[in-house]
Amino acid sequence: MTSGSMNTTEFLDLELDTQNCDEVKQEKTLPAGLRKYYNFCRRKSFATFVKSKRESSQNEGSSSWFCCNQIFKEHTSIHKHVAKCHNAEIKQLTLSAYECLLNQLEKEAESMQPKEQKADDEDVSAWIPNISHISEELLQKGPGKVLLYYHYCKVENPHVVWAWQKALCEKLHLTGKVRVATEGINGTVGGTDMAIDVYISAMCSFPVFKMDKDDFKTSDGGAKCFTDLRVGVYKEIVPMGVNPEVITYESAGLHLEPEEFHKEVEDFLTKGDLCNNTVLLDCRNFYESKIGQFTNCLAPDIRGIRCERASAYLRSKEVCKEVYQLKGGIHKYLERFPDGFYRGKLFVFDERYTISSNTDVISDCRYCGRPWDQYQLCSTQLCYQLVLSCPSCREDELTACCPTCQTKGQTQSLASTAPHLKEECECTDRRPRIPQDV
C-alpha cells in the first residue's frame, strides 16, 4: 500500500479512536518512513474535518462552510480558520487515524507473507527428476551459476507448485528466492553448473509452465550468492501492490526480440528530435536504472511495476497507441549486444548486486560525486537501502544511504514497536514516484 492509494472516502470509513492518542509518539520522533504515513493522515484528517463543515444545501457551482457560528465562502478562509482554531481536534484525529493505518499496514504486510502448505498434501515426486546418476559432489562443489527467470501463466494451485519447487531446490542444494502465484512464477536461484542444468531441465518439463531454455538467464555465481533458500506463495510474482486481475499480464504489449529491439532503438536515436512521438521507457526501479541505462531513455522510479504488467499498465491508461517491450529483458539483450545501446552495469537481485558487460560507469558516489557503481547495504541498523559509497568515502566511515541515516544511529527506537517498513528513508522521499495512482 502506498501513501497515495487511500482516497478521502476510504479515510472517512476509518474508525477514529481518540482514547489512546497519547500512546502515539510525536511526529518529530518518528523515522522518515513512518513520518510519511503520519503526514498523510494529517492531510487527510484536515481535509475530512473541513469537508464535515461544508453546508449540505448549496446552489450548483457554489460552496460554503459553517463553523463556530461563522460562514466561510472561500477555501482559503475555512482552511485558515480550521488551522487556527481546531488544531487540537485535527491532531487527535490524525493520531487516531495514524494508529489505525499502522494496524492496517501491519495486517496487509502479514497477508503478503508467503503462505506455506505441507508437501504431504500433494505428491510432487513425479516432477522431481531422477538424479541418482549424479554425485553429491557435482551438486554441491565446483563452478556455479545464478539463474534468473520469470514466467507469466495461469497456475490453478500455486501451493502444489510451491511444494514441488521447495523439494526440487532442496534436492539440488540451490539457494535463492522463488515466488509462486496464480499468475505464474518468478525465481532467482544459485547452485553448481550441474544443479542449475538439472533445474532448468525440470522447469522445461513441467507441464504448467511450458517454458524452454531461452526463458532462462544465467551468469557466473553459485549458491554462495544467496544466504538461504526462500520459496513462497504470493499474490504477485513481481510485487506491484495491485490485484493481478486488475492489471493482468494478459494485457501486456508486443514483445520484440533483442535484434528487433536493437533496431528500434537505433532508429529512435538516429531520428533524434524528429522522433517526438516515441518514448524509450526504463520500467525498472531506482537501484537498477541508476547504474545502467539505455541511451536517451526515460527512467523514473516506478517501484514494482515491471515486466509484463508495466506494459499492461500503460495500455490500461490508453496513453500510447502502441506499446512494445524487450523480450527476455536486458540480460538477454546484453547476451546478444554486449556493446549495444545499454551502458553501465546490470543490477541483479543477489549479494553480487551488479554484473557488467562493458566498462562504462554512469553513476557516482553518494558523498563525493566520483564515478562509482558498486552497491553496498546501508550501515544503519534496520535500514535496507543500498548505497553507492566509494572506497575513499567508506574509509571516512561514510557508509549510510544518506547523511541523515548516517547520523541516525540507534535513535530508531520506534522501529522496534511499530511495523518495520522496508526501503523507506529520507533519500527515498526524494525519488519521483510514478505512477501515483498505483
Side-chain angles (χ1 to χ4, degrees), residues 119-165:
D120 297 340
D121 295 342
E122 297 287 344
D123 182 11
V124 297
S125 59
W127 300 322
I128 303 295
N130 181 5
I131 56 173
S132 59
H133 60 289
I134 302 175
S135 68
E136 282 292 304
E137 185 175 2
L138 285 176
L139 294 177
Q140 298 187 54
K141 297 180 181 179
K145 302 175 185 174
V146 169
L147 183 70
L148 173 67
Y149 68 90
Y150 71 89
H151 186 68
Y152 282 93
C153 64
K154 289 186 178 180
V155 179
E156 296 294 337
N157 194 336
H159 291 285
V160 174
V161 177
W162 164 81
W164 167 61
Q165 279 291 307

Side-chain angles (χ1 to χ4, degrees), residues 151-294:
H151 186 68
Y152 282 93
C153 64
K154 289 186 178 180
V155 179
E156 296 294 337
N157 194 336
H159 291 285
V160 174
V161 177
W162 164 81
W164 167 61
Q165 279 291 307
K166 191 170 187 295
L168 176 63
C169 291
E170 289 177 348
K171 191 175 185 67
L172 298 175
H173 304 284
L174 302 182
T175 59
K177 304 173 185 177
V178 179
R179 296 176 67 98
V180 183
T182 56
E183 64 174 0
I185 187 170
N186 179 13
T188 307
V189 294
T192 64
D193 289 349
M194 177 62 72
I196 292 296
D197 289 343
V198 173
Y199 181 83
I200 292 175
S201 178
M203 291 288 289
C204 292
S205 301
F206 192 64
V208 175
F209 297 147
K210 299 178 181 177
M211 301 174 71
D212 56 48
K213 292 184 178 181
D214 289 338
D215 293 319
F216 299 90
K217 310 153 195 175
T218 61
S219 58
D220 293 337
K224 65 181 182 297
C225 294
F226 302 92
T227 57
D228 55 13
L229 172 67
R230 302 181 202 173
V231 183
V233 176
Y234 296 81
K235 292 181 179 179
E236 308 166 275
I237 62 171
V238 179
M240 177 175 170
V242 175
N243 190 329
E245 296 180 2
V246 177
I247 303 295
T248 171
Y249 70 90
E250 295 175 314
S251 301
L254 181 65
H255 290 75
L256 297 178
E257 295 289 345
E259 292 79 6
E260 297 174 303
F261 184 84
H262 184 82
K263 182 63 168 61
E264 289 292 332
V265 175
E266 186 176 45
D267 292 343
F268 170 74
L269 296 175
T270 300
K271 293 178 182 178
D273 294 337
L274 297 177
C275 189
N276 56 11
N277 63 346
T278 302
V279 174
L280 179 58
L281 183 64
D282 188 336
C283 291
R284 298 176 301 157
N285 68 30
F286 175 81
Y287 294 131
E288 297 172 278
S289 60
K290 186 173 180 61
I291 60 172
Q293 294 181 11
F294 280 99

Side-chain angles (χ1 to χ4, degrees), residues 322-340:
E322 297 174 325
V323 180
Y324 301 92
Q325 67 183 82
L326 174 59
K327 183 178 180 180
I330 296 173
H331 199 293
K332 284 292 184 183
Y333 176 86
L334 290 176
E335 289 179 357
R336 180 64 183 83
F337 299 99
D339 295 315

Side-chain angles (χ1 to χ4, degrees), residues 46-62:
F46 190 92
T48 302
F49 188 90
V50 170
K51 185 177 180 179
S52 69
K53 300 302 179 181
R54 186 171 181 174
E55 292 189 304
S56 57
S57 58
Q58 298 178 16
N59 296 326
E60 186 176 354
S62 64

